[in-house]
Amino acid sequence: MERWRETVIDAACPVGNDGVSRRELAIATAGAWFSGVTIAAASGVPTLQNVEALGEKAKRLRSAVRKDGADSKERVLRELKVVLKPLQEDMEAVAGGNKQAKTQALLMKGHLLELEQAVRSDDWQPYRSKTTGGLYPGGKPERELEEVEETLEDFLKLF
């Protein structure tokens, strides 16, 4: 409880926080809430907001892959580590006991493995999906990033 209090107060009242009144604490909590900082996020616990924010980054990554193709290889490899894998881990944590959500988190793990395989094998040539018939200028990595987006959408619908 004390860590939460210090985190919220420090975020809202960076200059001295000794003897903070209830009113000041309420204002700090409201300020943190409206600025998108949740108490759970401040304590390192994954939240649905974390999942949504990482999902937005994943969408931007797909756009870059669609536009730049193989030139985005290093970015994809970097964001696999700092965006996509944390996204999957946060999905799993947020899912809790929700079996359908847990299934989506596990499906996400599979898509990330397939994405990594496609990137490492330099499978960047334009690709037409046998399943959807869609054309992917960014090759199989783009298709896998589309799967990431769809799986995330299915996950978010459960909450």
Side-chain angles (χ1 to χ4, degrees):
M1 183 70 175
E2 187 61 31
R3 182 169 180 243
W4 168 85
R5 180 180 182 269
E6 289 174 8
T7 301
V8 171
I9 293 169
D10 288 346
C13 310
V15 181
N17 53 16
D18 294 337
V20 174
S21 71
R22 285 182 177 211
R23 182 174 185 279
E24 290 169 322
L25 182 58
I27 291 169
T29 304
W33 176 261
F34 288 116
S35 68
V37 176
T38 64
I39 294 165
S43 67
V45 176
T47 65
L48 200 55
Q49 291 85 0
N50 295 87
V51 171
E52 291 170 333
L54 290 169
E56 286 302 314
K57 290 180 179 183
K59 286 180 184 180
R60 288 193 296 272
L61 178 60
R62 179 180 174 211
S63 294
V65 167
R66 183 173 186 82
K67 179 180 165 232
D68 301 329
D71 291 340
S72 58
K73 180 178 181 174
E74 292 306 314
R75 178 178 175 184
V76 173
L77 291 172
R78 183 178 59 251
E79 291 196 21
L80 259 166
K81 293 176 187 168
V82 298
V83 174
L84 300 174
K85 288 181 181 178
L87 169 64
Q88 188 278 327
E89 292 164 357
D90 285 1
M91 287 172 64
E92 202 164 357
V94 169
N98 183 327
K99 288 184 180 186
Q100 290 177 312
K102 279 274 194 214
T103 299
Q104 294 303 316
L106 291 174
L107 286 171
M108 180 67 78
K109 188 179 257 186
H111 296 311
L112 298 183
L113 290 171
E114 290 178 21
L115 171 62
E116 189 168 13
Q117 170 61 32
V119 171
R120 294 207 186 275
S121 65
D122 285 324
D123 209 349
W124 296 96
Q125 65 274 11
Y127 168 73
R128 183 168 302 276
S129 170
K130 294 177 181 111
T131 307
T132 66
L135 180 63
Y136 300 89
K140 288 189 179 178
E142 182 190 352
R143 172 66 178 130
E144 286 308 319
L145 286 166
E146 180 181 67
E147 291 285 346
V148 165
E149 284 182 30
E150 292 171 354
T151 302
L152 178 62
E153 288 171 12
D154 291 343
F155 177 86
L156 293 173
K157 286 178 189 173
L158 298 171
F159 294 92

